[in-house]
Amino acid sequence: MTENAQQQPTAPITELPTQYAPAEVEGKLYERWVERGYFAADAKSEKPAYTIVIPPPNVTGSLHLGHAFQHTLMDALTRRKRMQGYESLWLPGMDHAGIATQNKVEQQLAEEGKSRHDLGREEFVERVWQWKEEYGGRILGQMRRLGDGVDWSRERFTMDEGLSKAVQTIFKRLYDDELIYRAERIINWCPRCLTAISDIEVDYQDDDGELVSIKYGEGEDTLVVATTRAETMLGDTAVAVHPDDERYAHLVGKQIKLPLTNRTIPVVADTHVDPEFGTGAVKVTPAHDPNDFAIGQRHGLESMTVMDERGVITVHGPFQGLDRFEARSTIVNALREQGRIVAEKRPYVHSVGHCSRCKTTVEPRLSMQWWVKVEPLAQAAGDAVRDGRVKIHPQDMSKRYFDWVDNMHDWCISRQLWWGHRIPVWYGPEGQVVCVGPDDETPTGEGWTQDEDVLDTWFSSGLWPFSTLGWPEQTPDLEKFYKTDVLLTGHDIIFFWVARMMMFGLYAMDGEVPFHTIALTGLVRDEFGKKMSKSNPNAVDPLDWMDRYGSDAVRFTLAKGANPGADVPIGEDWVQASRNFTNKIWNATRFALMNGATVEGELPPVERLSATDRWILSRLNKTVAEIDAFYDDYQFAKLSESLYHFAWDEVFDWYVELSKTTFFAGGEQAKVSGRVLGEVLDVMLRVLHPVVPFVTETLWTTLTGGETLVTADWPKDSGFRDDAAEKEIELVQQVVTEVRRFRKDQGLKDGQKVPARLTLDGTALAAHEAAIRQLLRLQPEEDGFSATATLPVAGATVALDLSGTIDVAAERKRLAKDLAAAEKEKAQAEAKLANEAFLAKAPDNVVDKIKTRLTKAEEDITRIQSQLNGLPQA
């Protein structure tokens, strides 16, 4: 069926402990994997490459459930491919996380009573590097706890020397191709972080505010505008109305008085204005609103900045020096005193942007910044998905991708920070502007200064799939491992990261896509579907669960919930259930080893195999084929369910139990079944390994004497099928399941033995009588045997002597209730199938389901009636 790994065995473990203790196994096992270089990838290898780059976690971060979730899936993919014979590279690293990291160090300085300005730029940056070395990268050690099979020899950091060279190189190329430019435009400004942030770093939420309607102008030349940001009126340079709005036609082109100021402003006609909304007139503040900026550009309006970088008013004496929110209420009061407030609505719920990092209300602000011209880059990123070079999985997530890349605005890439890749542009004393590449000489001489800003963190992480492999140098790693195979990441960063990598990869790598598949996951949520947050009591540290239940249990729980693109609910009860599963694997394998399970020698020929042996080998190969199909379709939840049910239900609960009589009897057939069981365990542990690597490694090396599962061969479907054996064992399962249910209904204890007569002659069940009796605790009939219950099932009859143990009246009542339910189900199904209107509209799969329900109901009716007939009269 499969070939054992051709490896030098380590000293075999002759006996497994009675209980599995993850804490005693996982750490030592992981270090052995790393020391022996199992995860290292060789660029010189002739094996086909399989590459995944890890979404680089922030250097400020620690392992949370979202990381553990995605890392589990990426690890499963790379482990399987490595076992399939690929040169499998999973490349780790971290992101310098500009704003987040700078904030950490500034908080540290604040505790010392200092600011970054007290240190100066050079000393502050050195301080951040010291912080990174001391506190950064905790997550890397936590990744080891989880079992991440990454190539640690290739660990990268977005500000290491090689990646810095890549950043400078692509900036220079984009600049030379006129795809990077500097311009004054409206940006999102965080008054706390004191930097520009991109559109996708703004979180919008409904806030309680106020909507005030203000009368502008004097006498007959008046109109009313409404605003939620009254403080910005100090920077108004026009009022706009729609060109076709007859109410204001007499005012267009006139100057009207701006309240609270000594200025007059024009009334302009612009099609952007919706005449049906509000009064049909809008105030225009070009320096503090993106739509107003566009109107200002069209009409040549002045842009007046009225707030500084901290949101403090900088103009008009009475309000100068006030914070923006304090100024808002002060200005409204002043307008009210002048009789300028026409209407007030409070509270007025409206959508307000907040900085995604510090939650401060974002301020639109006119600012000189660096921009990427995204139109040609975004077009290429969209085309790569449209023409099939890159596939998005699940496919219905493609719409979100296209919605973004097809409507992308130019990207503001400059940040007013000190920690990050400094923009490689120098300004000369006479207005010169020079962009410097990594191999260019930096301008020297009096008056030359470098741009003070740094690049957006997503600029450097957008290069990650190729910069980590040595680009811009044509390295062996780049040649071997680019393009990468799959990007597995959360659907929440399609805009932040995925689209950026697509744009830069296609641009830098001569049209070669950075990955052929984008596999999008959902977000991890608590067991009630709520978002996990540190501010909520539902946040979970996965390390706590690993300490209590083992890393395998956490991994299996996460994989079992991973439906493509869907959010993943998780609760501690589910982790406990997965711990029970790892314990079941341990205990059942230990039992098998104690009862002759072996991988020595060839599998016996089919003619020497029992129906039970043939059944489990047939199911084994079907399961391997099923698991392969699920992996190729990124169906982690389905493959985990398949693994779970095959291991627990079919191998442990059925095959091992059905084979116990054979093992206990000993002899030649016991040896045959021992070899079959060894084969099944060998394959089962291999296919389980990518998801639960620690327990499977320990058991497999004990079973086979092999060195490691990490590099063992992935099982292949041998093609062996035995449908007849599968049907035969299904009959056995029907008998055992039905009689067990009957026993439970009668309140019999699991171990309670009951005399029984089995009529199996002429059926496929005859060869399994000993196993059936063993599983059901059925004693042979003796003198005086009296059948008090007769159960016809699967073409056989099981007569039980339950004298003194069965309540016949209660059993009849229960069966009558079940019969009524089955008859109702049958009637409903027949009614639907007789409804021609329904059949004309219903999809084929719906009709098929109803036909299946009808067949099942008819079978249940026959079974229950037979059971009623088998009961003695009450």
Side-chain angles (χ1 to χ4, degrees), residues 523-545:
L523 307 179
V524 178
R525 298 185 178 273
D526 72 13
E527 58 192 304
F528 305 107
K530 295 181 180 178
K531 183 178 179 180
M532 288 190 177
S533 169
K534 291 181 180 178
S535 60
N536 294 331
N538 65 352
V540 172
D541 184 347
L543 296 172
D544 290 342
W545 281 352

Short mmCIF file of all heavy atoms in Angstrom, two decimals, residues 523-545:
data_model
loop_
_atom_site.label_atom_id
_atom_site.label_comp_id
_atom_site.label_asym_id
_atom_site.label_seq_id
_atom_site.Cartn_x
_atom_site.Cartn_y
_atom_site.Cartn_z
N LEU A 523 -11.78 35.11 9.95
CA LEU A 523 -11.19 35.56 11.20
C LEU A 523 -11.62 34.62 12.32
O LEU A 523 -12.72 34.08 12.30
CB LEU A 523 -11.64 36.99 11.52
CG LEU A 523 -11.42 38.03 10.42
CD1 LEU A 523 -11.93 39.39 10.87
CD2 LEU A 523 -9.96 38.11 10.03
N VAL A 524 -10.75 34.45 13.30
CA VAL A 524 -11.08 33.61 14.45
C VAL A 524 -11.99 34.41 15.39
O VAL A 524 -11.70 35.56 15.73
CB VAL A 524 -9.82 33.16 15.18
CG1 VAL A 524 -10.19 32.33 16.42
CG2 VAL A 524 -8.93 32.33 14.26
N ARG A 525 -13.09 33.79 15.79
CA ARG A 525 -14.02 34.43 16.72
C ARG A 525 -14.29 33.51 17.91
O ARG A 525 -13.88 32.34 17.89
CB ARG A 525 -15.33 34.76 15.99
CG ARG A 525 -15.13 35.76 14.84
CD ARG A 525 -16.45 36.16 14.22
NE ARG A 525 -16.25 37.15 13.16
CZ ARG A 525 -16.20 38.46 13.35
NH1 ARG A 525 -16.33 38.95 14.57
NH2 ARG A 525 -16.02 39.29 12.34
N ASP A 526 -14.94 34.03 18.91
CA ASP A 526 -15.23 33.17 20.05
C ASP A 526 -16.36 32.21 19.69
O ASP A 526 -16.92 32.26 18.60
CB ASP A 526 -15.53 33.98 21.32
CG ASP A 526 -16.88 34.71 21.28
OD1 ASP A 526 -17.71 34.41 20.40
OD2 ASP A 526 -17.11 35.57 22.14
N GLU A 527 -16.70 31.34 20.63
CA GLU A 527 -17.67 30.27 20.32
C GLU A 527 -19.06 30.80 20.01
O GLU A 527 -19.89 30.07 19.46
CB GLU A 527 -17.73 29.28 21.48
CG GLU A 527 -18.12 29.90 22.81
CD GLU A 527 -17.90 28.95 23.97
OE1 GLU A 527 -18.46 27.83 23.91
OE2 GLU A 527 -17.17 29.30 24.91
N PHE A 528 -19.31 32.09 20.34
CA PHE A 528 -20.62 32.68 20.04
C PHE A 528 -20.57 33.54 18.78
O PHE A 528 -21.54 34.22 18.45
CB PHE A 528 -21.07 33.54 21.23
CG PHE A 528 -21.11 32.79 22.54
CD1 PHE A 528 -20.15 33.02 23.51
CD2 PHE A 528 -22.07 31.81 22.76
CE1 PHE A 528 -20.16 32.32 24.70
CE2 PHE A 528 -22.08 31.11 23.96
CZ PHE A 528 -21.13 31.35 24.93
N GLY A 529 -19.43 33.50 18.08
CA GLY A 529 -19.31 34.24 16.83
C GLY A 529 -18.89 35.68 17.00
O GLY A 529 -18.88 36.45 16.03
N LYS A 530 -18.53 36.08 18.22
CA LYS A 530 -18.13 37.47 18.46
C LYS A 530 -16.64 37.64 18.20
O LYS A 530 -15.85 36.74 18.44
CB LYS A 530 -18.46 37.88 19.89
CG LYS A 530 -19.95 37.91 20.20
CD LYS A 530 -20.21 38.35 21.64
CE LYS A 530 -21.70 38.39 21.94
NZ LYS A 530 -21.97 38.77 23.35
N LYS A 531 -16.28 38.85 17.72
CA LYS A 531 -14.88 39.15 17.46
C LYS A 531 -14.09 39.13 18.76
O LYS A 531 -14.52 39.67 19.77
CB LYS A 531 -14.76 40.52 16.79
CG LYS A 531 -13.34 40.89 16.40
CD LYS A 531 -13.32 42.24 15.69
CE LYS A 531 -11.87 42.62 15.30
NZ LYS A 531 -11.83 43.93 14.61
N MET A 532 -12.92 38.49 18.73
CA MET A 532 -12.07 38.47 19.90
C MET A 532 -11.27 39.77 19.98
O MET A 532 -10.78 40.26 18.98
CB MET A 532 -11.10 37.28 19.86
CG MET A 532 -11.77 35.95 20.11
SD MET A 532 -10.57 34.64 20.34
CE MET A 532 -11.64 33.26 20.72
N SER A 533 -11.17 40.31 21.18
CA SER A 533 -10.46 41.58 21.36
C SER A 533 -9.86 41.60 22.74
O SER A 533 -10.43 41.06 23.70
CB SER A 533 -11.43 42.75 21.19
OG SER A 533 -10.82 43.95 21.59
N LYS A 534 -8.68 42.24 22.85
CA LYS A 534 -8.03 42.36 24.16
C LYS A 534 -8.89 43.17 25.13
O LYS A 534 -8.80 43.01 26.34
CB LYS A 534 -6.66 43.03 24.00
CG LYS A 534 -5.63 42.16 23.29
CD LYS A 534 -4.29 42.86 23.19
CE LYS A 534 -3.26 41.99 22.48
NZ LYS A 534 -1.96 42.68 22.34
N SER A 535 -9.73 44.06 24.57
CA SER A 535 -10.58 44.88 25.42
C SER A 535 -11.82 44.13 25.88
O SER A 535 -12.57 44.60 26.74
CB SER A 535 -11.00 46.16 24.68
OG SER A 535 -11.71 45.84 23.50
N ASN A 536 -12.06 42.94 25.31
CA ASN A 536 -13.20 42.12 25.71
C ASN A 536 -12.72 40.94 26.54
O ASN A 536 -11.58 40.50 26.40
CB ASN A 536 -13.95 41.61 24.48
CG ASN A 536 -14.60 42.72 23.69
OD1 ASN A 536 -14.97 43.74 24.25
ND2 ASN A 536 -14.75 42.53 22.39
N PRO A 537 -13.59 40.40 27.38
CA PRO A 537 -13.16 39.24 28.18
C PRO A 537 -13.06 37.95 27.38
O PRO A 537 -12.73 36.92 27.93
CB PRO A 537 -14.27 39.14 29.25
CG PRO A 537 -15.47 39.78 28.62
CD PRO A 537 -14.93 40.88 27.74
N ASN A 538 -13.35 38.01 26.07
CA ASN A 538 -13.34 36.78 25.27
C ASN A 538 -11.99 36.52 24.61
O ASN A 538 -11.83 35.54 23.89
CB ASN A 538 -14.44 36.82 24.20
CG ASN A 538 -14.22 37.91 23.16
OD1 ASN A 538 -13.32 38.75 23.29
ND2 ASN A 538 -15.02 37.90 22.11
N ALA A 539 -11.01 37.42 24.81
CA ALA A 539 -9.70 37.22 24.19
C ALA A 539 -9.00 36.02 24.81
O ALA A 539 -9.06 35.80 26.02
CB ALA A 539 -8.85 38.47 24.35
N VAL A 540 -8.36 35.22 23.98
CA VAL A 540 -7.70 33.99 24.43
C VAL A 540 -6.24 34.01 24.01
O VAL A 540 -5.91 34.37 22.88
CB VAL A 540 -8.39 32.74 23.81
CG1 VAL A 540 -7.60 31.48 24.13
CG2 VAL A 540 -9.81 32.62 24.32
N ASP A 541 -5.37 33.66 24.94
CA ASP A 541 -3.96 33.48 24.62
C ASP A 541 -3.77 32.02 24.22
O ASP A 541 -3.93 31.13 25.06
CB ASP A 541 -3.10 33.82 25.84
CG ASP A 541 -1.60 33.75 25.54
OD1 ASP A 541 -1.23 33.19 24.48
OD2 ASP A 541 -0.80 34.22 26.36
N PRO A 542 -3.43 31.76 22.95
CA PRO A 542 -3.31 30.35 22.53
C PRO A 542 -2.23 29.59 23.30
O PRO A 542 -2.30 28.37 23.41
CB PRO A 542 -2.95 30.46 21.04
CG PRO A 542 -2.41 31.84 20.86
CD PRO A 542 -3.13 32.70 21.86
N LEU A 543 -1.26 30.32 23.85
CA LEU A 543 -0.22 29.64 24.63
C LEU A 543 -0.80 29.00 25.89
O LEU A 543 -0.32 27.96 26.33
CB LEU A 543 0.89 30.63 24.99
CG LEU A 543 1.66 31.21 23.80
CD1 LEU A 543 2.59 32.31 24.26
CD2 LEU A 543 2.44 30.13 23.08
N ASP A 544 -1.84 29.64 26.46
CA ASP A 544 -2.48 29.04 27.63
C ASP A 544 -3.11 27.70 27.27
O ASP A 544 -3.01 26.72 28.02
CB ASP A 544 -3.55 29.98 28.18
CG ASP A 544 -2.97 31.23 28.82
OD1 ASP A 544 -1.76 31.22 29.15
OD2 ASP A 544 -3.71 32.21 28.98
N TRP A 545 -3.79 27.67 26.11
CA TRP A 545 -4.40 26.42 25.67
C TRP A 545 -3.34 25.38 25.33
O TRP A 545 -3.52 24.19 25.59
CB TRP A 545 -5.30 26.68 24.47
CG TRP A 545 -6.64 27.25 24.84
CD1 TRP A 545 -7.13 27.40 26.11
CD2 TRP A 545 -7.64 27.73 23.95
NE1 TRP A 545 -8.38 27.95 26.06
CE2 TRP A 545 -8.73 28.17 24.77
CE3 TRP A 545 -7.74 27.84 22.58
CZ2 TRP A 545 -9.89 28.70 24.22
CZ3 TRP A 545 -8.91 28.37 22.03
CH2 TRP A 545 -9.97 28.79 22.83
#
